[in-house]
Amino acid sequence: MTVLARAAEVSRRYGDVLALDRVSLDIRAGELVGLLGPNGAGKSTLINLFVGLRRPTSGTVELLGGSPQDPLVRQGIGVTPQETGLPEALKVGEIVDFVSAHYPRRADKGELLERFGLQDLARRQIGGLSGGQRRRLAVALAFAGEPRMVFLDEPTTGLDVEARRALWDGVRSFHEQGGTILLTSHYLEEIEALAQRVVVVGHGRVLADDTVTAIRDVVGTRRVSLTAAELPELPGVLGSERADGRVHLLTADPDRLVVELVRSGTPFSGLEIRPTTLEEAFLAITSKETADV
Amino acid sequence: MSSLVLAHTRYQLLEQIRVPLGLVASAFFPAASMLAFVVPFAGDDPVGATRATGSMMMVGAMSAAVMGLSISVAQDREQPWNPYLRTLPAGPFPRFAGRIVTTMAVMLAAAVPVLVIAALLTKASVTAPRLALGLAALLAGSLPFMLIGLFLGFLLPSKAAIGVSQVVFFPIAIVGGLFIPPQVMPGFLQALSPYVPSRGAAELVWSAATGSTPNATGIVMLVVWTVAAALAAGWAYRRDEGRRFS
């Protein structure tokens, strides 16, 4: 499959800080990739390199077969602005027209606004929009130029559940029509809901690059939850917490844990075993990395 | 490319019109000065009033260029919208061009109240071709001030740009003879006057409107200032790019 965005052995230094350390990453046509990592991990730096805002200190970044610094190459991508920076004085329709004017192929304005639930707001001034409406407008702008690939940085931060779902639908329909997406999010639920491939970055490096399921399996932990007054010493417990009378235990071997629990004769009820969420997987990977350093 | 310049000009103009603070600031001061100084003191002298009208138009243009441009450029640099614009498929040219065209429109708009006051309340007179020539001279003479505005805007944070642009604006306007005609200024100011860019710019406007012979030193210095300001603005722009987007 065609590679749309490629980082090869890319490092980026800000003074003494090494924000990216020999990162290599290929994003192929039609992929929906989630970029995951704590603040300061290098996510934003990586996106800034791909969209041409910064140059790598070493290594090469390729976008649609060319350089991200070339405006002609950038005709094929769409980026989300931070909604706090949208020009307040302009109307919704005007800002869409302004952004569209930069692209040879343009999305139909009415259809674009409708896709993100903004159809009634075309004549509204941006200064008068709610936070959620601004956020949706910001994401819609990434699609104004009929791009082949979009970069969505934290697309639904601060949105309520309904608005978030509406936005996800917009992103999914772009993907179903063959669009390529690189998405960062603090909401792990969002990555799990949208992405097929997850790239975990931490300390400026790619720590893991695999499917959502595989990332969970890499860590291989399960969460065993139960209600019990007091528990004996159990084998293989990686972490435990007590909340609302329930005990949650993280373990790599839930079968053995349950066997030992039954053997000990401790009374318990409401046993539940679930795979860990991506968030738990992600914390495990990044803390493992810290421990190695 | 030209459609992009148009898109950026439209965008800048809409911002100017919807938040007309810069427009009002640029138009108010010269109009008020016309009423306070020109109408009572030079209103009855046709040539004096015409020259003073030209001076006040230049004051409005300088204010739009030095203060308006520097503050809006400095503020824009601080907005998260700025890096987003850089991801759009366009180089810096359409943005610059849009900004310059918009500033020129503000200058012409700021000249309107001055012209109306001059026509109604003074003996200032001008033929239609000389008026057109005068407006062209106004725009041409404003070039170094737009470049100075860009220089300050790219160099300074917005709060500093507000202060510094005022400190730059008033002395240059006064020494250049925009508020008091050069011939009635004290001797040392008369000697200094041709070396500030506002004098050369005003000489262009006066000469276009009344047919007077412009001060040669003033014109030469206007060119020198324009070149120097272009170099400074280019340097400040590249410095800002290098720091933020390397």
Side-chain angles (χ1 to χ4, degrees):
Chain A
M1 254 195 297
T2 333
V3 172
L4 292 194
R6 164 173 285 161
E9 288 286 304
V10 166
S11 296
R12 170 70 211 205
R13 192 177 275 286
Y14 300 109
D16 288 341
V17 182
L18 191 58
L20 287 179
D21 184 7
R22 284 165 292 132
V23 166
S24 295
L25 182 66
D26 281 1
I27 294 164
R28 290 171 290 273
E31 280 191 310
L32 206 172
V33 180
L35 194 58
L36 200 59
N39 284 332
K43 281 179 304 187
S44 304
T45 302
L46 189 55
I47 289 209
N48 286 343
L49 291 173
F50 277 135
V51 302
L53 276 180
R54 294 190 183 277
R55 294 184 186 89
T57 311
S58 67
T60 53
V61 177
E62 239 177 68
L63 183 69
L64 309 175
S67 159
Q69 308 290 326
D70 181 355
L72 281 175
V73 167
R74 292 203 304 273
Q75 285 182 347
I77 64 162
V79 179
T80 341
Q82 279 183 35
E83 80 275 17
T84 49
L86 292 170
E88 307 251 314
L90 264 67
K91 292 176 183 168
V92 170
E94 288 166 350
I95 197 71
V96 173
D97 288 338
F98 170 72
V99 171
S100 301
H102 291 79
Y103 294 90
R105 292 192 306 154
R106 291 157 202 185
D108 176 74
K109 184 164 55 171
E111 189 275 324
L112 180 72
L113 292 178
E114 202 176 329
R115 208 190 315 164
F116 292 94
L118 298 164
Q119 60 276 17
D120 302 326
L121 302 174
R123 290 168 180 284
R124 187 82 73 78
Q125 220 159 315
I126 291 167
L129 297 183
S130 72
Q133 289 165 338
R134 283 177 199 225
R135 192 68 242 173
R136 274 181 282 154
L137 175 59
V139 175
L141 290 180
F143 297 90
E146 296 273 326
R148 292 170 67 194
M149 176 168 187
V150 294
F151 295 85
L152 304 178
D153 199 2
E154 306 278 341
T156 60
T157 304
L159 284 189
D160 58 45
V161 176
E162 200 178 324
R164 192 186 300 173
R165 305 245 169 231
L167 214 146
W168 287 356
D169 287 343
V171 172
R172 279 202 197 97
S173 83
F174 173 73
H175 181 235
E176 276 157 18
Q177 286 155 31
T180 308
I181 298 157
L182 181 63
L183 168 90
T184 73
S185 183
H186 271 112
Y187 292 107
L188 300 140
E189 184 200 356
E190 181 156 82
I191 302 253
E192 286 183 303
L194 292 175
Q196 303 142 333
R197 179 180 161 202
V198 186
V199 175
V200 183
V201 289
H203 312 288
R205 269 185 269 166
V206 172
L207 301 179
D209 180 353
D210 218 320
T211 62
V212 173
T213 338
I215 291 287
R216 275 209 221 98
D217 291 348
V218 162
V219 187
T221 54
R222 296 288 184 274
R223 171 185 281 256
V224 179
S225 306
L226 51 101
T227 306
E230 215 159 295
L231 286 180
E233 191 75 18
L234 292 167
V237 175
L238 300 170
S240 73
E241 59 172 358
R242 202 174 259 280
D244 305 325
R246 303 263 305 156
V247 185
H248 305 280
L249 304 168
L250 279 182
T251 176
D253 190 349
D255 305 324
R256 200 171 128 230
L257 189 141
V258 171
V259 169
E260 287 298 323
L261 177 67
V262 172
R263 247 185 223 154
S264 73
T266 315
F268 66 90
S269 62
L271 182 72
E272 247 180 19
I273 301 173
R274 308 191 274 112
T276 48
T277 63
L278 201 48
E279 179 160 27
E280 289 159 330
F282 155 68
L283 283 173
I285 294 174
T286 46
S287 62
K288 213 192 286 172
E289 174 71 15
T290 319
D292 289 347
V293 168
Chain B
M1 204 47 154
S2 65
S3 77
L4 269 186
V5 173
L6 207 68
H8 279 262
T9 305
R10 202 177 117 81
Y11 160 64
Q12 300 273 359
L13 275 175
L14 281 171
E15 287 220 302
Q16 277 292 348
I17 292 164
R18 302 256 166 84
V19 190
L21 214 65
L23 192 62
V24 170
S26 296
F28 173 79
F29 190 62
S33 305
M34 270 306 274
L35 289 173
F37 305 116
V38 179
V39 174
F41 300 119
D44 293 333
D45 167 16
V47 176
T50 310
R51 284 172 68 96
T53 303
S55 302
M56 287 305 132
M57 284 164 51
M58 199 63 228
V59 166
M62 262 185 79
S63 148
V66 177
M67 299 207 274
L69 254 185
S70 68
I71 295 167
S72 63
V73 167
Q75 281 175 340
D76 279 4
R77 284 193 307 132
E78 290 161 10
Q79 292 292 324
W81 184 243
N82 189 48
Y84 170 71
L85 286 180
R86 290 178 43 90
T87 69
L88 292 176
F93 176 73
R95 281 179 79 186
F96 270 116
R99 217 181 256 297
I100 298 285
V101 173
T102 306
T103 305
M104 286 181 164
V106 172
M107 287 173 181
L108 293 178
V112 171
V114 173
L115 285 171
V116 170
I117 292 168
L120 296 179
L121 302 177
T122 75
K123 293 213 159 62
S125 70
V126 71
T127 60
R130 284 208 171 274
L131 176 62
L133 207 60
L135 290 174
L138 183 76
L139 296 182
S142 303
L143 191 59
F145 300 109
M146 288 195 263
L147 293 167
I148 290 171
L150 290 173
F151 167 68
L152 294 176
F154 283 117
L155 192 67
L156 301 171
S158 65
K159 285 207 173 105
I162 293 171
V164 171
S165 62
Q166 287 187 29
V167 169
V168 168
F169 169 73
F170 282 104
I172 292 184
I174 292 166
V175 176
L178 298 183
F179 290 107
I180 324 158
Q183 52 275 21
V184 303
M185 289 195 295
F188 76 101
L189 280 185
Q190 271 197 42
L192 183 63
S193 180
Y195 295 95
V196 296
S198 51
R199 176 64 183 274
E203 291 284 346
L204 277 184
V205 176
W206 294 333
S207 152
T210 67
S212 61
T213 314
N215 177 307
T217 316
I219 300 298
V220 171
M221 287 313 292
L222 181 67
V223 174
V224 171
W225 273 100
T226 306
V227 172
L231 292 174
W235 170 80
Y237 175 74
R238 277 193 304 275
R239 175 178 174 274
D240 182 52
E241 290 267 281
R243 203 174 45 191
R244 283 161 198 269
F245 308 114
S246 61

